[in-house]
Amino acid sequence: MSYFKFNDKKIYYRELGSGTPLLLLHGNTASSNMFEEVVSLYEANNKLILIDFLGHGKSDRLDKFPADLWFYEAQQVIAFLKEKNYKNVNLIGTSGGALVAINVALEAPQLVNKVIADSFEGETPLVEFVVNADVERAESKKDEDTKAFYAAMHGDDWNQVVDNDTNAIIEHAINIGKFFHKELSSLKPEILLTGSKKDEYVGAIDPEYFEKVYGLMITKIGHGNYYLFDAGGHPAMMSNPELFYQLSMDFFYKDE
């Protein structure tokens, strides 16, 4: 297994295939294991890179997650790309990983070629999720299928990982409230926002949630597009694997 150091802690990563580097960024309570079912698709035509953020998967654990979690994880990605001397990297971030991908593009555009940000709530936390986070996460830890997912992502200490994530989400919403440190208008790489019209997290709030939030973000950025799948749940990348793969390859390589 391969690791690199960030703030004296080890971050796990894998590199597969060859070609243009493509880094997949996992979401909250997940790890790079979430992408196992689609690895064979992407490694065929890309230099595929997978990492586990600190506190997740096979990376070193943290006693507590920082409240500015998605910016902190972006700093890990930037440090990794610089250490490995990667440039013109394509990024796909899904759910919380989408927030990380956008932060990377805002903070280190010189390292990034194009970005796909999939199935995320927008520029600010989703109030309806945050206010129920404690209760919903406690319930999730009783559900056998969800417990199996957590264990597959992290191993035997999954419970602490989930609790750390829940606490960070709540603390962020109370004390910070914005996911990005820079204005979206400063984002330089090409960007595509994706989601599913059947996303179970936002659909109950507003059936047109993504259209409204993504549309506003694209207006602020000043370039880019969004695409919504008619079917599939959260995240769209994993619930529409073949269609999402084709969409992503068309986006990344349309000019070549």
Side-chain angles (χ1 to χ4, degrees), residues 142-192:
K142 298 176 184 177
D143 180 80
E144 292 302 320
D145 289 340
T146 308
K147 286 166 61 177
F149 171 82
Y150 291 152
M153 295 299 106
H154 309 292
D156 294 339
D157 66 343
W158 63 263
N159 188 72
Q160 186 59 47
V161 178
V162 174
D163 285 349
N164 282 346
D165 185 79
T166 305
N167 293 336
I169 287 172
I170 294 170
E171 188 178 348
H172 177 276
I174 293 171
N175 297 321
I176 301 174
K178 292 184 177 181
F179 292 127
F180 312 123
H181 286 207
K182 293 183 177 178
E183 295 296 327
L184 289 176
S185 59
S186 70
L187 192 143
K188 296 179 181 178
E190 285 194 52
I191 188 165
L192 175 66

Side-chain angles (χ1 to χ4, degrees), residues 3-11 13 60 79-80 83:
Y3 294 89
F4 80 99
K5 282 288 192 73
F6 180 84
N7 290 350
D8 294 323
K9 289 187 175 295
K10 294 191 299 181
I11 294 179
Y13 71 94
D60 281 351
F80 170 78
E83 179 172 311

Side-chain angles (χ1 to χ4, degrees), residues 57-239:
K58 298 180 181 69
S59 292
D60 281 351
R61 294 296 184 254
L62 299 171
D63 294 332
K64 178 183 178 181
F65 288 179
D68 207 357
L69 180 62
W70 304 273
F71 186 80
Y72 179 65
E73 291 172 344
Q75 297 305 303
Q76 296 170 40
V77 172
I78 292 168
F80 170 78
L81 295 177
K82 288 181 177 179
E83 179 172 311
K84 298 289 291 183
N85 199 32
Y86 279 123
K87 296 179 181 178
N88 297 317
V89 177
N90 290 323
L91 303 177
I92 301 178
T94 189
S95 195
L99 302 174
V100 178
I102 294 173
N103 269 311
V104 173
L106 286 168
E107 300 296 326
Q110 73 279 9
L111 303 177
V112 179
N113 182 34
K114 298 181 181 180
V115 177
I116 299 178
D118 175 51
S119 302
F120 67 104
E121 58 262 60
E123 298 176 74
T124 58
L126 195 57
V127 174
E128 291 84 353
F129 175 70
V130 175
V131 296
N132 297 310
D134 273 342
V135 173
E136 291 186 358
R137 284 287 173 79
E139 289 299 314
S140 78
K141 292 193 290 183
K142 298 176 184 177
D143 180 80
E144 292 302 320
D145 289 340
T146 308
K147 286 166 61 177
F149 171 82
Y150 291 152
M153 295 299 106
H154 309 292
D156 294 339
D157 66 343
W158 63 263
N159 188 72
Q160 186 59 47
V161 178
V162 174
D163 285 349
N164 282 346
D165 185 79
T166 305
N167 293 336
I169 287 172
I170 294 170
E171 188 178 348
H172 177 276
I174 293 171
N175 297 321
I176 301 174
K178 292 184 177 181
F179 292 127
F180 312 123
H181 286 207
K182 293 183 177 178
E183 295 296 327
L184 289 176
S185 59
S186 70
L187 192 143
K188 296 179 181 178
E190 285 194 52
I191 188 165
L192 175 66
L193 311 182
T194 59
S196 168
K197 294 179 182 179
K198 304 295 185 182
D199 188 294
E200 58 271 29
Y201 290 102
V202 303
I205 298 167
D206 183 349
E208 296 183 348
Y209 182 89
F210 282 140
E211 287 97 326
K212 295 174 182 177
V213 172
Y214 285 0
L216 179 59
M217 288 185 66
I218 292 299
T219 298
K220 290 183 177 181
I221 292 169
H223 61 88
N225 290 290
Y226 70 85
Y227 181 91
L228 301 180
F229 295 88
D230 290 326
H234 183 91
M237 178 183 184
M238 302 308 297
S239 59

